[in-house]
Amino acid sequence: MASTVTSRPGYGQLLRTRGAWTFLLPGFAARQPFAMLTVSIVLLVQHTTGSYGAAGAAAAVTGVSMALFAPYSGRLADRYGQRTVLIPGVLVHTLSGLALTALALADAPMWALLAAAVPTGASIPQIGPMVRARWAAELQDSPLLPTAAAFESVTDELTFVVGPLLATALCTAVDPAAGLVTEASLTLLGGLLFAAQKSTQPSVTGGTGGGHARVERASALRVPGVRVLIVAFLGIGAVFGGMQVSLAAFTESIGEPGLNGVLYGTFAAGNMLSGLVCGAIVWKAAPQQRLVVGYAALALTASGLWAAHSVLALAGLGLLVGMCIAPTLVTGYTLVESLVPAGARTEAFTWLTGAVALGQAAAVTVAGQLEDRFRDGAGFLVPMGGTLLALGTLLALRSRLAARPRGRTVARGVGHRMPVTVD
């Protein structure tokens, strides 16, 4: 790819954005439980039932439920405001999580645990997409938008490093139920604090009249580029899920299960490092071109995982795979700003976040089956297959990632005009 990069001190300028800290701090606290949830459910349900299969089923139902319901939560937030959607969602999630905890401790039947897992997953507060929507509203067409996307990618990765460690420590050193109880408590406290920050909330697009309202209220899923990005993010989810299962199986097979955290930490470190670098430079190449090239690098590195049979080889490849993930995530989230009207961006972000979760849930299941049946790193075929399929989709449909022209306008009320894309 022929492109030029120039350095810029983006993070300092980004964090000086008016009102940024008012939503960043409570947002970080409120999104932490999301990374704690799966591990907390697995450890609690396995403790009470003695079955990893039951624990995995409860966690999978939670993940699939979140992936299916999150976009509708995002669409409601775009239409009625984040605060309006977030407060009841936080309350429902807290009560559902505590109900799931009580049922597990009471040795309730499996169907009851799965029934409680549905609202627990469906009501997970979509803090990450809401924070991204606030950045987009504050920065609009600023060159700092890619920096904000990179900052959020690094924050997400940090969350998924700290969250599982905290949940594991609570469940093993305090009580098997401590992880879910803490997750529910942090969700309630952090979510309400985040909802209280009304000054940075993106403007809502409610209303019944005018073409502009109809354009703004259209589903983000109707944008062709969003559907292409969903496929790409499903492939990224396949990498996360496949790595989690396959690294655990590999370290157990060599009699060193403690190395699992080291290897996955190396993978996460590569993601965080490249995310920081990606936000500190500005690329001259078009974002859709960067996405295709970056995804090709991800598919190439992920395809080599199944052939690695040593700790050093897996650590090196895992680092490279992690370094390829952040640029694709950052570019994908950046493309949303140019592809999707402002009134549908929270929904678009939740579709992408849900795609990662859905891809991860599917990959965990498939990789687990492959490792059980074939072993010898067969689970690593999942990241390879997922990224190659997604790359083929990107290559075939990359023209749909081009931003739509913004030259035409329609009126928005008497005496006020705003640029709006008209198909």
Side-chain angles (χ1 to χ4, degrees):
M1 177 174 62
S3 61
T4 305
V5 298
T6 57
S7 297
R8 69 162 181 261
Y11 290 110
Q13 184 179 352
L14 178 72
L15 296 177
R16 289 193 296 271
T17 300
R18 179 181 59 86
W21 287 105
T22 64
F23 64 83
L24 283 180
L25 290 179
F28 183 78
R31 74 209 299 179
Q32 196 66 51
F34 178 63
M36 299 174 61
L37 185 60
T38 299
V39 176
S40 298
I41 291 175
V42 168
L43 294 177
L44 173 61
V45 176
Q46 192 280 329
H47 173 79
T48 57
T49 65
S51 169
Y52 279 105
V61 167
T62 303
V64 172
S65 179
M66 188 279 285
L68 294 177
F69 282 90
Y72 298 100
S73 171
R75 190 174 187 184
L76 290 173
D78 284 325
R79 182 173 297 184
Y80 301 110
Q82 294 183 1
R83 175 185 172 88
T84 303
V85 174
L86 188 56
I87 291 177
V90 164
L91 296 176
V92 170
H93 181 75
T94 301
L95 293 174
S96 300
L98 293 177
L100 178 58
T101 304
L103 288 169
L105 293 176
D107 295 324
M110 192 63 204
W111 66 264
L113 296 181
L114 296 181
V118 172
T120 301
S123 60
I124 292 174
Q126 298 302 307
I127 302 297
M130 289 183 179
V131 171
R132 286 184 166 90
R134 293 190 184 217
W135 278 125
E138 288 291 326
L139 299 174
Q140 296 186 10
D141 294 325
S142 167
L144 283 171
L145 268 173
T147 306
F151 181 83
E152 289 305 308
S153 177
V154 173
T155 301
D156 282 341
E157 196 59 38
L158 179 61
T159 298
F160 278 94
V161 171
V162 175
L165 290 176
L166 177 59
T168 301
L170 289 169
C171 291
T172 56
V174 180
D175 186 90
L180 262 183
V181 172
T182 303
E183 187 272 342
S185 302
L186 282 176
T187 298
L188 181 63
L189 178 62
L192 292 180
L193 285 174
F194 183 81
Q197 312 307 313
K198 294 186 289 185
S199 62
T200 55
Q201 177 179 265
S203 58
V204 297
T205 57
T208 58
H212 177 75
R214 288 193 297 271
V215 170
E216 291 288 349
R217 290 174 59 176
S219 172
L221 198 59
R222 296 181 62 183
V223 179
V226 171
R227 298 196 292 269
V228 177
L229 289 175
I230 287 173
V231 175
F233 277 55
L234 281 169
I236 292 174
V239 175
F240 284 121
M243 291 284 283
Q244 288 173 346
V245 171
S246 303
L247 287 177
F250 171 78
T251 54
E252 184 177 353
S253 70
I254 64 172
E256 296 288 348
L259 288 177
N260 180 35
V262 176
L263 290 176
Y264 197 82
T266 302
F267 163 70
N271 195 346
M272 293 179 65
L273 177 63
S274 63
L276 286 169
V277 173
C278 192
I281 58 179
V282 57
W283 295 83
K284 299 301 183 183
Q288 56 267 33
Q289 182 183 2
R290 301 202 314 269
L291 182 65
V292 170
V293 173
Y295 216 99
L298 175 61
L300 178 64
T301 53
S303 296
L305 288 169
W306 69 274
H309 298 290
S310 70
V311 173
L312 287 179
L314 273 179
L317 273 173
L319 180 68
L320 292 176
V321 171
M323 293 179 68
C324 292
I325 283 181
T328 58
L329 286 174
V330 169
T331 307
Y333 281 124
T334 302
L335 277 166
V336 168
E337 193 277 334
S338 61
L339 292 171
V340 182
R345 284 178 190 155
T346 305
E347 181 196 353
F349 289 135
T350 53
W351 274 112
L352 300 187
T353 302
V356 174
L358 189 59
Q360 184 174 355
V364 166
T365 303
V366 176
Q369 292 293 325
L370 290 174
E371 288 290 349
D372 284 343
R373 295 188 180 188
F374 304 106
R375 302 188 183 277
D376 295 325
F380 285 120
L381 293 173
V382 174
M384 179 177 74
T387 52
L388 287 176
L389 288 173
L391 176 61
T393 302
L394 278 177
L395 290 173
L397 303 177
R398 62 186 181 276
S399 62
R400 299 187 181 184
L401 297 174
R404 296 179 296 175
R406 300 185 180 184
R408 297 173 62 187
T409 63
V410 297
R412 186 188 185 191
V414 179
H416 182 81
R417 289 185 177 268
M418 182 172 292
V420 176
T421 305
V422 179
D423 294 326

